[in-house]
Amino acid sequence: MDSTQEVDSIHGAADSTSLTSMTISSPSANNTSTMMMIASPTPASSSAASPTTLSRYENQKRRDWNTFGQYLKNHRPPLSLSRCSGAHVLEFLRYLDQFGKTKVHTQLCPFFGHPNPPSPCPCPLRQAWGSLDALIGRLRAAYEENGGKPETNPFGARAVRLYLREVRDSQAKARGISYEKKKRKRPQQQQQQALPPPSSS
């Protein structure tokens, strides 16, 4: 029997994810699951605080990286980071999906495509696309910061990008919302205003 280990995991809204307590199961070769308890980190006391205060993004990135590391250790058989592929990343995302808090309507649901359903429904809860997208961005950066090469980064694999795109499109249809990015306005008008007026001869 595997010992219980305390690690962090993810949950959150589309534009911001955070780590909280949950139970996650790691896949095994014989289709059984190994459970590991995930506990929220204990706040450090002010006297033991580090002189260098990390940003919220850096803290999340570090905890996400530790969570993924624990997932690999509890994988059956154990999986080393050097052998991790995009397929293992997808496996990790699908396990986290069961702890999501975003209602995603099925096509049989009468509220399919409605952004604000008037009543509850039995449709499943999933990780929001924005949460998964932000998580992959942090793990991709953490992988290279911990010595990984960009060309072998499993979080940047084509299969992961396609999966995130599929989740985005399916959730947009199911929830009746748009995930289109806002186009940035070119600062042409500001540049024109900054130019000095032509001098009269």
Side-chain angles (χ1 to χ4, degrees), residues 29-153:
N30 57 359
N31 294 327
T32 60
S33 296
T34 300
M35 303 301 296
M36 61 181 181
M37 298 303 297
I38 297 179
S40 300
T42 304
S45 60
S46 58
S47 60
S50 173
T52 303
T53 303
L54 296 177
S55 66
R56 180 182 179 186
Y57 170 81
E58 292 297 330
N59 281 324
Q60 288 182 354
K61 181 172 61 176
R62 180 176 58 182
R63 288 181 290 184
D64 291 340
W65 182 249
N66 290 337
T67 298
F68 186 73
Q70 289 292 342
Y71 178 82
L72 295 181
K73 290 179 181 179
N74 285 270
H75 195 281
R76 292 295 175 268
L79 185 66
S80 63
L81 184 61
S82 60
R83 299 184 61 184
C84 179
S85 66
H88 298 113
V89 174
L90 294 182
E91 193 177 72
F92 177 63
L93 294 180
R94 292 189 180 102
Y95 267 91
L96 292 180
D97 208 29
Q98 62 186 307
F99 304 102
K101 297 185 178 181
T102 298
K103 178 77 71 173
V104 179
H105 303 290
T106 65
Q107 292 186 352
L108 298 178
C109 179
F111 304 137
F112 181 83
H114 289 258
N116 298 304
S119 60
C121 67
C123 291
L125 296 175
R126 295 286 184 261
Q127 290 286 349
W129 164 77
S131 296
L132 297 178
D133 187 59
L135 172 67
I136 289 299
R138 293 193 297 270
L139 290 175
R140 185 174 182 175
Y143 177 85
E144 297 179 13
E145 290 173 2
N146 284 272
K149 297 181 180 180
E151 58 269 19
T152 59
N153 194 328

Side-chain angles (χ1 to χ4, degrees), residues 15-41:
D15 58 349
S16 176
T17 56
S18 59
L19 302 176
T20 187
S21 60
M22 72 177 189
T23 303
I24 185 171
S25 56
S26 296
S28 61
N30 57 359
N31 294 327
T32 60
S33 296
T34 300
M35 303 301 296
M36 61 181 181
M37 298 303 297
I38 297 179
S40 300

Side-chain angles (χ1 to χ4, degrees), residues 181-191:
K181 293 183 178 180
K182 296 181 179 180
K183 295 183 178 179
R184 294 182 179 180
K185 295 182 179 180
R186 295 181 179 180
Q188 293 180 350
Q189 186 176 0
Q190 296 179 357
Q191 292 178 358

